Amino acid sequence: MGERCHSDAPLDIISIGNEEHLISRLPKECKIGSISLDENDDDYPVPRPGMIFRSEAEARLYYTKYADQMGFSVKTRTSKRGGEGKVKYLILVCSERSRTAIDESKKQYCTARINLTLRKDGTYQISAVTLGHNHELGSQRITIEMKCIRKLDPEVIDMGVKKISEQNNCGNYLQIERHWIRENGDGDALQKYLVRMQEQDRNFFYAVDLDDMFSAKNVFWSDGRSRAAYESFGDVVTVDTTCLSNHYKVPLVTFIGVNHHGQSVLFGCGLLSSDDSESFAWLFESLLHCMSGVPPQGIVTDHCCRAMQKALDTVYPSIRHRWCLSNIMEKLPQLIHEYANCKSLRDRMHSVVYDTPTTDEFEGKWKRIVEDFGLKDNKWLKELFLERHRWAPSFVRGGFWAGMCTNPQSESRHAIFDGFINQQTTLKQFVDQYNNALQYKAEKEYIADIHSSSNSQTCVTKSPLERQFQSAYTHAKFLEVQREFVGKADCNVFVACEDGSICRYNVIEDMITEDKPKESVVEVIYNREDCDIKCNCRLFELRGILCRHSLAVLSQERVKEVPCKYILDRWKKNILRKHVCIKTSYGVVHFEPQVQRFDLLCKQFNSIAAAAAEFEGTSSFVKDTLCNLKEKLDSWTSLSISSSLVDVEKHNNMIH
């Protein structure tokens, strides 16, 4: 099937049987597909049951345009998602609330609405309509977005005033721009939140980007715990722009990583008045400044945001950047559902993305799919293939991505605020929910820490290597390693050649691809002198997990202990991490005594530093004393952890 048409077009209604379809008046040479509604057309039909839309976005756009035409605004009252994350049921309503005749102190929502349901073919159908309003309709609404102003007058943007504040009170200049203020009190709530957080958390950081009228264009902030977590887990950062792309009331951007359990962890938040490259560049600069000038090693972003790409090239020109694979694969069914044999096409695409270990194999299979399904003119797939080095797993294996969005098992966006924010949440409601969301995440991490330290997962083999990972890694990461030990049984090892201490192995792995047996051959190079091992599947480089092929070779070589360089501190369970000790406005009750002790010691160290800094001799004395003290503490801590591990092992043996 040919390329979809994205040209603007007015709408018509045609009747097919008992159903009415909303279609566009398109040129004959352009095949019907997803359309963009003409923003200048003021003739949108009255909604009626039976009207069908090709997507949720098209249905929302239609009803919004109709509402503008009639003089009211729209909000989402109810929505329900299915197992695949797609909205199955949706109610769009008039957002007006009017005072009741019985009690003027109370307000009730307008009754005008449309009910939409998801059909089996992926389209949306209006199942019920209420046209009557309980209030007077205004004239056609005009919505002014800041991004429109920037397009009309770019010179004004260049005159913007930028100010970064880490400790100063922002109350004198924090005025949220008009398009942010969806509900009364948003700007005041954010101002009070920033001031309150700074009072409660001395490590709290915020930055405000001002325009030439001293109004806030963009805001960034990060609390003390998030900044400390960045020190441990900030090697890979995902920039989540879901709220921007889905038009939430809160224009939120979050910087997210994964901790030692593979759980999401927040590094910082931003509120953007526009999704242009200048705003993103300011946001990335603020993150860099917040994290003491230490950039992440890799960044994961939405593939659709070109403005973000430009900003990254400006602020972080040398770091690795890739697109979120799960975001791409989630869009795939929507973009191919009109093609013949779309299920077969989806399965083939899934296989070529996840089951091709080499770049040559990926390119060959992709080209065959394009030929078999006649996709040569599909611009979206063309773009994906041209930028394959930014998202395809076989191309990004050269860098560490901490397991974020690189395989079918980790295709979540690690969203921090799921369940705490939706499209109708106001800024005032969001700042009220912020601490609740982060406390929930902190408690989840604490529970996982307790489970990992108090008991051990059962080994599935007799290998001493597996027991080594069992004692070192958190439960979540040990289970990932265990899958490789189980997969090792499908690997057959053959010596290809030997050159002194270096031995090259061919490892043949039995696999099932598309319900058919298959053999995959990878090369593993092992150095017997320094126990250095390297597999061209590059799983360790990608996720920090030693692969089944390397484990098979180590087993063949009769290695009884994995070198320390292959057991990453990032995934270890018995490491004291700074962020759990940071005092914040949220946190885990269990850690309160430890947090209080940490805060007290920091204050005492500050007073010692102030006294010692006056002279070179006293400064050197304090530094040497602290180094000796650190060595003694490390030794004492190691003994304490070893003692606790012995107790845990005894406990587990008694249980089993």
Side-chain angles (χ1 to χ4, degrees), residues 508-527:
I508 302 176
E509 181 183 1
D510 295 322
M511 306 172 65
I512 300 293
T513 303
E514 297 177 0
D515 297 325
K516 296 179 182 178
K518 175 188 172 183
E519 288 185 350
S520 174
V521 181
V522 298
E523 182 185 55
V524 179
I525 302 174
Y526 179 65
N527 188 327

Side-chain angles (χ1 to χ4, degrees), residues 84-86 238-242 256 258 300-304 322-335 346 350 353-354 380 384 390-393 396 401 403-415 418:
E84 297 180 354
K86 196 167 185 179
T238 288
V239 185
D240 190 347
T241 56
T242 302
I256 301 170
V258 292
V300 183
T301 69
D302 189 339
H303 79 286
C304 294
R322 60 165 308 214
W323 292 343
C324 180
L325 178 60
S326 65
N327 180 267
I328 292 172
M329 299 307 288
E330 285 168 4
K331 286 184 171 69
L332 185 63
Q334 303 172 24
L335 294 165
R346 183 188 62 197
H350 194 278
V353 170
Y354 293 116
W380 190 75
L384 283 183
R390 292 196 184 278
W391 63 273
V396 302
W401 294 104
M404 297 181 74
C405 305
T406 55
N407 58 75
Q409 287 77 33
S410 64
E411 284 193 351
S412 72
R413 288 295 301 271
H414 297 280
D418 273 1

